Amino acid sequence: RARTACTRLLNPELPLAEISLETGFSDQSHFTRAFRKITGMTPQVFRDSIRPPGSSLETQRHRPKPVLQEFCG
């Protein structure tokens, strides 16, 4: 489920709540906790980390961890 969520998070137009329900989590909070436990960051931080350079200050602060790149890659 979390790997599917990684793919869905690439689309910035999809709300996190929608992604959480589409991937089988009971709610956004459950999704956020599970995603953070697996990847070490929240879904929003992950989404911010994959934005093109210069599009957000978050890009410079949060880079996907190697385990996240392996997991979502």
Side-chain angles (χ1 to χ4, degrees):
R1 293 188 297 177
R3 285 185 186 185
T4 301
C6 286
T7 303
R8 304 293 285 153
L9 286 166
L10 296 175
N11 181 348
E13 301 299 316
L14 288 175
L16 294 178
E18 183 177 328
I19 293 170
S20 66
L21 294 176
E22 287 179 354
T23 53
F25 292 93
S26 57
D27 55 37
Q28 185 176 339
S29 178
H30 180 214
F31 170 52
T32 297
R33 284 192 311 272
F35 194 88
R36 184 182 317 149
K37 184 176 181 179
I38 294 167
T39 65
M41 66 177 69
T42 66
Q44 186 61 55
V45 170
F46 170 76
R47 183 177 266 178
D48 290 344
S49 73
I50 58 174
R51 289 184 184 175
S55 68
S56 168
L57 291 176
E58 293 299 313
T59 304
Q60 297 169 6
R61 285 184 267 183
H62 301 287
R63 297 279 181 203
K65 297 178 180 181
V67 67
L68 181 63
Q69 291 172 339
E70 180 181 314
F71 181 79
C72 295

